[in-house]
Amino acid sequence: NAGVTQTPKFRVLKTGQSMTLLCAQDMNHEYMYWYRQDPGMGLRLIHYSVGEGTTAKGEVPDGYNVSRLKKQNFLLGLESAAPSQTSVYFCASSSMGLADNMYFGPGTRLTVT
Amino acid sequence: GEDVEQSLFLSVREGDSSVINCTYTDSSSTYLYWYKQEPGAGLQLLTYIFSNMDMKQDQRLTVLLNKKDKHLSLRIADTQTGDSAIYFCAEKEYSSASKIIFGSGTRLSIRP
């Protein structure tokens, strides 16, 4: 039982390049989320999904796209990376239980030069 | 809109108690959480409290909720070096899967 895993752990991109971050969970959770963490700003929600085949915008969705083709995977895409997207990206998942404990992945550190 | 605020840094002596404070704005918050982030890792849930509770204790952790003032605190008794981390306060409405709002985190450092 690996919980929530993210690949890659680190990445450096040049401005304008594209990439996809992969999140996988093996807990059969319905909800999955992508957050970005910037110094002094806490975690901000980018996109989220309430089930396979569904996605929705969070607080800061611009410049990102997501897909949830399989229940266990949630992909975050950057079509044309910008320096403002330099951040640490966390994926999380949760069940539909009352307390909705969120399980976080270890994060992906992305630098855009 | 909703907002969660925390001070950025706290330094305590090993063996003392640490108190991390948080204020929130959303009066409809149903659940309030404390998460811990160790260096290079994701967030881990430490504890949570329902909005109809005033206090919750779990071993060295005590959570106090003042709903009138929208103030949440986390007390760590007998603080150890392993408690060094960033602590995030978060609030959630019961009806919304997406609306978990995190504070900016308080970095707790321990002095010998």
Side-chain angles (χ1 to χ4, degrees):
Chain A
N1 189 341
V4 180
T5 57
Q6 293 182 232
T7 52
K9 288 188 167 49
F10 303 94
R11 186 73 187 268
V12 178
L13 287 180
K14 292 190 185 333
T15 298
Q17 288 185 318
S18 63
M19 79 163 293
T20 300
L21 282 67
L22 171 63
C23 176
Q25 52 95 5
D26 60 3
M27 296 173 282
N28 202 34
H29 284 166
E30 290 295 330
Y31 300 156
M32 295 187 75
Y33 311 81
W34 276 107
Y35 286 90
R36 59 177 289 174
Q37 183 180 27
D38 301 295
M41 297 188 73
L43 276 76
R44 292 183 291 170
L45 183 64
I46 305 171
H47 285 280
Y48 65 99
S49 168
V50 299
E52 181 179 317
T54 75
T55 63
K57 293 180 180 179
E59 185 186 356
V60 288
D62 293 342
Y64 305 95
N65 56 74
V66 287
S67 64
R68 183 104 182 262
L69 298 178
K70 293 183 179 180
K71 187 177 183 179
Q72 63 267 33
N73 295 336
F74 195 30
L75 278 63
L76 178 71
L78 285 74
E79 288 186 349
S80 179
S84 61
Q85 293 177 304
T86 293
S87 188
V88 181
Y89 292 85
F90 286 99
C91 176
S93 71
S94 72
S95 64
M96 296 173 73
L98 286 179
D100 275 26
N101 183 18
M102 296 178 78
Y103 292 83
F104 283 81
T108 295
R109 186 174 292 276
L110 175 67
T111 302
V112 183
T113 60
Chain B
E2 300 93 345
D3 196 16
V4 178
E5 293 192 356
Q6 304 175 237
S7 55
L8 290 180
F9 301 100
L10 176 66
S11 176
V12 299
R13 188 168 297 159
E14 189 175 0
D16 288 352
S17 292
S18 305
V19 179
I20 303 170
N21 295 302
C22 168
T23 57
Y24 61 97
T25 58
D26 188 355
S27 58
S28 63
S29 293
T30 307
Y31 299 93
L32 294 131
Y33 304 87
W34 284 105
Y35 282 83
K36 178 182 181 182
Q37 184 183 30
E38 295 182 348
L43 279 69
Q44 277 191 302
L45 180 69
L46 270 183
T47 186
Y48 65 90
I49 190 168
F50 298 132
S51 59
N52 62 358
M53 298 169 64
D54 298 323
M55 185 183 90
K56 182 177 180 181
Q57 187 149 5
D58 183 2
Q59 299 182 334
R60 293 192 297 122
L61 304 178
T62 303
V63 178
L64 294 177
L65 175 61
N66 182 329
K67 200 173 178 184
K68 175 175 167 290
D69 293 339
K70 296 179 189 167
H71 182 266
L72 184 74
S73 68
L74 174 70
R75 178 177 179 269
I76 306 172
D78 187 24
T79 309
Q80 303 297 310
T81 54
D83 296 323
S84 291
I86 302 176
Y87 291 82
F88 290 89
C89 170
E91 63 170 349
K92 181 179 187 294
E93 294 175 11
Y94 172 66
S95 60
S96 172
S98 70
K99 281 190 171 292
I100 298 178
I101 309 297
F102 286 86
S104 55
T106 299
R107 184 181 294 275
L108 176 63
S109 61
I110 315 301
R111 306 191 302 272

